[in-house]
Amino acid sequence: MDLSVILLILVLLILLFASAFFSASETVFSTVNIIRLKKDKEKGKKGAKEAFEIANHFDKSLSTILVGNNLVNIMFTAITTTIFTNAYGVNGVIISTIVVTLVILFFGEFLPKKIGRKNPNKLALKFSKFLKVLSIILYPITKIILFFSKGMTKVYDIPSDNNPSVTEDELISIVETIEEEGVLEEAESDLIKSAIEFDDHTINNIYTKKEDIVTINVNENNNSIIKIMVNNHYSRVPIYKDNPDNII
């Protein structure tokens, strides 16, 4: 086989690998558990500092990923089209389009994104340093894109999303999910959900009217106290002296 052909194939494989890397990175950093990353950063895990920074400023990181992905895909398409055109003439364009579409869709998009979704936190630590270097290399291009995107946002008057990163309902959903995964016991899960939902209760839902409060006179004998406790099923009862208003 001609050396030039071997070099072209090698270049195409590198470009395809780069496309897969960028696609996987997009999925990894859009689905990564940022709280876990923060913990990894505090523990000093390798790559955690860079990964947390990338995930925390994902809009800027996404520009780098998209620019890199488009560049390698365009280069892959251009080289492939040249090879097929030289071999098959005008028909090579059609053949190249079909081949490039199938190859990039499967090996450059579908497969890497599926892998990235399976273990985002682990891959985030592995990808972070290389992605950080690429963000520096591609900075001039991404800076221009961010500039124009901000301009378009102002032109079309797109309001910024100031919603909280996690809502109360989403937090409850997270608790239920990790309970299903076996991280929390049912009692622990119920306790956390009760704490989250506590502010939704009004005083009318939880208070006991004064005349309905069960109390015990400090001078009551043990048998009477036991009878009151058993009949009312309370674990704790207020004790008063002289009159029920004088709780001691």
Side-chain angles (χ1 to χ4, degrees):
M1 190 181 285
D2 192 354
L3 183 62
S4 61
V5 175
I6 296 171
L7 286 172
L8 273 175
I9 292 170
L10 186 63
V11 169
L12 286 173
L13 287 173
I14 292 168
L15 289 171
L16 188 59
F17 179 80
S19 178
F21 169 78
F22 285 118
S23 295
S25 296
E26 184 183 347
T27 302
V28 163
F29 285 100
S30 62
T31 58
V32 73
N33 187 324
I34 199 162
I35 296 169
R36 199 173 295 168
L37 268 187
K38 192 177 180 182
K39 290 288 182 188
D40 289 341
K41 179 189 169 187
E42 289 168 0
K43 290 176 183 175
K45 274 194 178 181
K46 189 179 178 182
K49 184 182 176 183
E50 292 83 358
F52 178 76
E53 192 178 329
I54 291 167
N56 211 28
H57 301 92
F58 186 63
D59 53 339
K60 292 179 182 177
S61 306
L62 184 61
S63 300
T64 301
I65 292 166
L66 293 177
V67 167
N69 205 13
N70 278 287
L71 282 174
V72 296
N73 285 345
I74 290 166
M75 288 168 70
F76 184 89
T77 305
I79 294 169
T80 308
T81 304
T82 303
I83 293 169
F84 279 99
T85 304
N86 290 336
Y88 303 103
V90 178
N91 292 330
V93 177
I94 298 168
I95 298 168
S96 173
T97 303
I98 296 167
V99 171
V100 168
T101 302
L102 292 173
V103 170
I104 287 180
L105 269 179
F106 186 76
F107 294 105
E109 290 288 331
F110 176 74
L111 193 61
K113 284 186 176 181
K114 191 173 183 181
I115 293 167
R117 200 176 289 113
K118 274 193 170 183
N119 208 340
N121 275 69
K122 189 176 179 180
L123 291 174
L125 300 180
K126 292 182 180 294
F127 289 177
S128 59
K129 287 189 181 293
F130 188 56
L131 206 56
K132 190 76 177 172
V133 173
L134 282 173
S135 67
I136 295 167
I137 296 168
L138 297 173
Y139 178 77
I141 303 172
T142 54
K143 188 70 177 175
I144 293 167
I145 290 169
L146 287 170
F147 174 77
F148 279 110
S149 67
K150 283 181 182 177
M152 293 297 286
T153 303
K154 288 178 181 177
V155 168
Y156 289 101
D157 194 28
I158 301 169
S160 60
D161 186 2
N162 293 319
N163 293 329
S165 56
V166 180
T167 64
E168 202 171 273
D169 288 340
E170 287 168 343
L171 193 55
I172 290 170
S173 179
I174 291 168
V175 172
E176 288 172 348
T177 301
I178 59 176
E179 181 194 342
E180 288 169 10
E181 290 174 354
V183 178
L184 290 175
E185 296 291 336
E186 186 180 350
E188 293 172 323
S189 175
D190 290 341
L191 187 63
I192 293 168
K193 285 189 281 186
S194 297
I196 295 168
E197 294 169 343
F198 183 73
D199 66 339
D200 296 331
H201 295 289
T202 63
I203 192 70
N204 289 329
N205 297 134
I206 57 172
Y207 86 121
T208 304
K209 292 179 182 178
K210 185 179 176 182
E211 58 267 27
D212 295 333
I213 295 174
V214 174
T215 55
I216 295 172
N217 191 318
V218 71
N219 297 317
E220 288 277 8
N221 61 57
N222 287 347
N223 289 334
S224 297
I225 292 171
I226 291 167
K227 188 177 179 180
I228 292 169
M229 296 291 281
V230 169
N231 289 341
N232 292 283
H233 305 289
Y234 291 125
S235 59
R236 291 167 178 79
V237 176
I239 305 295
Y240 71 88
K241 186 177 181 180
D242 299 330
N243 68 79
D245 288 333
N246 183 32
I247 303 297
I248 60 168

